[in-house]
């Protein structure tokens, strides 16, 4: 098992280039199943969730050629199987996108109940509601979901909850359906717009992505024959913005979309940081201890839950007492127990945490409990005094490309160490 050994404190300085968005890539890859042809996808992040998505597509009959480690050509003309391998799909959350894309393409989909980060209950009732509204019969039994339809027919879908996954799944299922589908109360995250742009580039007719009403006019086929570049990762960019603030550093974050980061910028300005926006980059700097803040996570354009642990590391060392209210996931405060091992004073209960700011964190052995918790603890290790050993980093590898190299280039002292298995 690998671990990261970090020696701090370091003020991060320099430039970092943001990779393609994980949460767009893991939706665009299954979306290729709707194409009866060949397409090229560029700016794919080189992360384990993308590799797993590609393996699943290959198991379904897709032919994938790696052009570089961030670019593939994918041929989906010979999709022969509608049953996604259970042992693969149960390992990560985004496997639910295979439901929308397989039923859209083949009229039948069999997918294992999705796994992924343990953030509390992760129901999929809205996904099922959308598929049923389009005319599918959906069964959940023995750890898998089966969806079948002779023909999907466009309809009106009102989402009871703003859900990224259910919005994308409804789009995927509706693209080749007969007639028009309207999704009301849709999620508006940048990766939803990116999936819609990808599908439109391939011949779909999707309008309104990025607003809360999305309209999909069903088309007969998606052509492929063209290439698409995945949008830069909003959450990776936000992670480096918050790392600059926590470490009292100065980082130029390149290849990002400043508009996607407005609410993080606003929070950084509120706690005393400096942010300069350019066309496709942002400079973030900080020269004092951050001040306290109140943070509430919300669907886009609110403060993203996927940056909540990282701002937790910032507020752990802020002047005064901060509060964080997590309104998306019920168990996203597990990282606070690890931060407390490093000297933080955080009390988390239910969906809220109170962070009494301390002057300095101290290195300690800590465990990444999920992907973003891992990023938060990595930031904490960089700003802490002494050595931090960060375990369970396979969570981080799921969603951040070359993370230790990117932080090393900013001056952090980080080594990846492979420890022999105990057995
Ligand atoms: N929800 C339901 N029923 C559903 C679907 C969702 O009740 O059918 C609830 C969830 O329990 C949650 C809320 O609705 O309370 C929002 O969940 P959403 O469906 O938006 O989340 P998701 O699609 O499962 C994606 C990202 C997550 C990110 C959330 C929120 C992917 C693969 N995952 O999850 O990313 O936290 O949106 O923005 O896109 C991460 O990258 O670390 C990560 C966890």
């Amino acid at each position: 098992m690998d671990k990261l050994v970090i020696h701090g404190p370091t003020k991060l300085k320099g430039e970092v280039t943001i990779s393609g968005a994980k949460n767009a890539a893991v939706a665009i890859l299954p979306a290729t199943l709707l194409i009866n042809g060949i397409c090229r996808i560029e700016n794919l992040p080189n992360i384990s969730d993308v590799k797993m998505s590609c393996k699943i597509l290959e198991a379904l009959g897709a032919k994938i050629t790696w052009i570089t480690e961030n670019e593939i050509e994918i041929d989906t003309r010979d999709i022969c199987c509608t049953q996604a391998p259970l042992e693969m799909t149960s390992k990560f959350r985004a496997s639910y996108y295979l439901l929308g894309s397989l039923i859209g393409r083949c009229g039948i989909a069999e997918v294992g109940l999705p796994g992924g980060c343990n953030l509390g209950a992760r129901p999929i009732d809205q996904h099922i509601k959308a598929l049923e509204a389009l005319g599918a019969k959906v069964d959940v039994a023995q750890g898998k979901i089966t969806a079948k339809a002779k023909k999907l027919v466009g309809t009106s879908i009102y989402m009871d909850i703003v859900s990224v996954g259910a919005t994308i799944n409804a789009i995927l299922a509706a693209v080749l359906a007969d007639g028009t589908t309207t999704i009301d109360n849709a999620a508006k995250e940048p990766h939803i717009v990116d999936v819609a742009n990808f599908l439109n580039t391939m011949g779909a007719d999707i309008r309104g992505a990025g607003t809360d009403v999305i309209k999909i006019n069903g088309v007969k086929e998606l052509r492929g024959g063209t290439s698409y570049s995945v949008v830069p990762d909003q959450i990776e960019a936000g992670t480096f913005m918050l790392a600059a603030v926590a470490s009292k550093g100065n980082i130029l974050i390149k290849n990002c979309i400043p508009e996607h980061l407005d609410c993080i910028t606003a929070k950084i300005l509120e706690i005393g940081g400096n942010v300069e926006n350019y066309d496709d980059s942002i400079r973030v700097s900080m020269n004092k201890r951050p001040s306290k803040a109140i943070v509430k996570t919300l669907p886009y354009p609110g403060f993203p839950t996927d940056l909540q642990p990282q701002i937790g590391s910032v507020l752990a060392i802020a002047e005064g007492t901060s509060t964080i209210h997590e309104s998306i996931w019920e168990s996203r405060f597990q990282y606070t127990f690890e931060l407390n091992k490093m000297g933080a004073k955080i009390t988390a209960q239910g969906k809220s945490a109170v962070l009494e700011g301390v002057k300095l964190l101290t290195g300690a052995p800590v465990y990444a409990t999920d992907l973003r918790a891992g990023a938060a603890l990595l930031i904490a290790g960089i700003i802490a005094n002494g050595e931090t050993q960060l375990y369970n980093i396979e969570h981080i590898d799921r969603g951040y490309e070359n993370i230790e190299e990117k932080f090393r280039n900013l001056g952090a002292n980080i080594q990846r160490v492979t420890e022999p298995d105990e057995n």
Side-chain angles (χ1 to χ4, degrees), residues 144-412:
K144 67 176 183 184
I145 312 161
T146 308
K148 286 184 195 165
K150 278 213 175 81
K151 183 71 204 156
L152 295 172
V153 179
T155 187
S156 293
I157 303 167
Y158 190 95
M159 294 289 174
D160 300 322
I161 287 175
V162 178
S163 160
V164 170
T167 300
I168 294 180
N169 238 340
I171 293 174
L172 293 174
V175 160
L176 298 176
D178 269 352
T180 298
T181 300
T182 309
I183 308 170
D184 271 288
N185 200 23
K188 297 184 281 223
E189 271 68 4
H191 33 289
I192 296 199
V193 179
D194 207 42
V195 174
N197 286 343
F198 165 75
L199 288 165
N200 284 344
T201 306
M202 301 297 151
D205 183 357
I206 304 166
R207 297 161 194 212
T211 74
D212 48 20
V213 183
I214 300 177
K215 202 169 182 183
I216 304 123
N217 294 313
V219 295
K220 289 255 169 318
E221 61 164 6
L222 299 189
R223 317 177 270 279
T226 182
S227 58
Y228 189 80
S229 182
V230 176
V231 70
D233 197 311
Q234 175 210 22
I235 303 300
E236 188 196 8
T239 300
F240 281 100
M241 291 171 80
L242 293 167
V245 173
S247 71
K248 298 201 191 96
N250 185 333
I251 306 181
L252 180 66
I253 297 153
K254 292 163 62 176
N255 189 38
C256 63
I257 300 179
E259 189 194 326
H260 291 169
L261 297 155
D262 279 349
C263 75
I264 298 113
T265 297
K267 200 49 78 179
I268 289 176
L269 295 176
E270 189 186 315
I271 60 178
N274 310 302
V275 182
E276 293 160 40
N277 280 355
Y278 304 100
D279 286 347
D280 61 355
S281 59
I282 293 190
R283 180 178 292 283
V284 179
S285 63
M286 183 78 174
N287 49 23
K288 57 182 179 205
R289 205 172 153 197
S291 46
K292 65 180 178 178
I294 297 171
V295 174
K296 181 171 183 175
T297 64
L298 286 171
Y300 187 82
F303 194 93
T305 172
D306 294 344
L307 287 172
Q308 185 263 100
Q310 298 89 317
I311 201 162
S313 288
V314 174
L315 298 177
I317 52 142
E319 194 131 24
T321 299
S322 303
T323 55
I324 300 181
H325 183 74
E326 169 59 54
S327 49
I328 312 288
W329 300 119
E330 64 188 26
S331 318
R332 211 164 205 178
F333 283 125
Q334 296 170 67
Y335 74 93
T336 61
F337 302 105
E338 301 302 306
L339 276 186
N340 285 348
K341 293 181 189 165
M342 302 176 75
K345 285 192 182 160
I346 308 175
T347 315
Q349 206 172 28
K351 288 192 159 189
S352 294
V354 176
L355 302 93
E356 201 185 313
V358 296
K359 274 207 173 116
L360 193 64
L361 298 177
T362 311
V366 286
Y367 292 81
T369 47
D370 61 71
L371 168 60
R372 309 302 173 186
L377 293 167
L378 183 46
I379 295 173
I382 290 168
I383 63 175
N385 207 7
E387 181 178 289
T388 294
Q389 303 205 10
L390 176 51
Y391 294 92
N392 291 355
I393 59 170
E394 63 281 2
H395 287 298
I396 304 180
D397 293 335
R398 283 189 35 229
Y400 287 94
E401 174 170 342
N402 293 336
I403 191 151
E404 73 264 28
E405 199 182 310
K406 289 188 182 185
F407 273 115
R408 260 202 304 268
N409 289 340
L410 295 168

